[in-house]
Amino acid sequence: MPTTRLNELIPILQVAVAPVILISGVGLLLLSLTNRFGRAVDRSRQLVRELREANATDRRRLNEQVEILYQRARLIQFSIILAVMSVLFAALLIITLFFTALMRLEIAVIISLLFIACLASLITSLVIFLMDIH
């Protein structure tokens, strides 16, 4: 196994800072998304309780509201899944950066693909989040 000197690892540490910051930022996004998801679930449960005691006119209105909340919850859930995937790709990217430095490999294509996958997941998550807000 080839040895890697500390002065060779320092540039890798510097490169790994960007994905670490991305993980931190996506963590805050996940906090916001999970709060929105929890509020949608809580509100839908409250409406379902009200639905049991409602008359026919109110039931139709409440059913429509519950359906809208379920659609929103599904969007938020999908957005959460994609944000988590983005964090996982970022973590894999960091591991790959260190692995390539330690093993002295040249796998720039894999590193690029992991970074692209990370950002693509994040962008898709944000677009779905916008769909929920809209």
Side-chain angles (χ1 to χ4, degrees):
M1 177 179 209
T3 60
T4 304
R5 302 169 81 196
L6 181 61
N7 64 351
E8 294 171 345
L9 281 178
I10 290 173
I12 302 301
L13 285 169
Q14 292 170 336
V15 170
V17 168
V20 169
I21 293 170
L22 181 69
I23 289 172
S24 177
V26 175
L28 291 173
L29 173 66
L30 282 168
L31 181 62
S32 174
L33 287 170
T34 54
N35 284 338
R36 288 181 67 84
F37 182 75
R39 286 184 19 220
V41 169
D42 290 344
R43 179 69 178 139
S44 64
R45 286 179 181 159
Q46 179 185 5
L47 290 175
V48 168
R49 280 192 299 272
E50 291 177 20
L51 190 61
R52 292 184 189 129
E53 300 169 4
N55 60 36
T57 307
D58 288 339
R59 279 189 183 177
R60 198 174 113 233
R61 180 183 55 83
L62 290 172
N63 275 327
E64 290 171 359
Q65 288 181 18
V66 168
E67 184 58 35
I68 290 169
L69 284 170
Y70 282 160
Q71 289 173 359
R72 288 187 60 205
R74 281 190 289 266
L75 283 174
I76 296 168
Q77 187 178 37
F78 191 43
S79 183
I80 289 170
I81 290 167
L82 288 168
V84 169
M85 286 178 55
S86 176
V87 169
L88 291 174
F89 283 129
L92 284 173
L93 175 60
I94 294 166
I95 291 169
T96 304
L97 285 169
F98 280 101
F99 184 73
T100 58
L102 291 174
M103 297 303 202
R104 299 182 189 269
L105 299 173
E106 287 296 326
I107 52 175
V109 171
I110 293 174
I111 291 170
S112 299
L113 289 175
L114 283 171
F115 189 69
I116 290 168
C118 174
L119 291 182
S121 294
L122 178 60
I123 289 168
T124 308
S125 173
L126 291 170
V127 167
I128 292 171
F129 183 46
L130 284 173
M131 290 169 57
D132 169 55
I133 290 172
H134 180 64

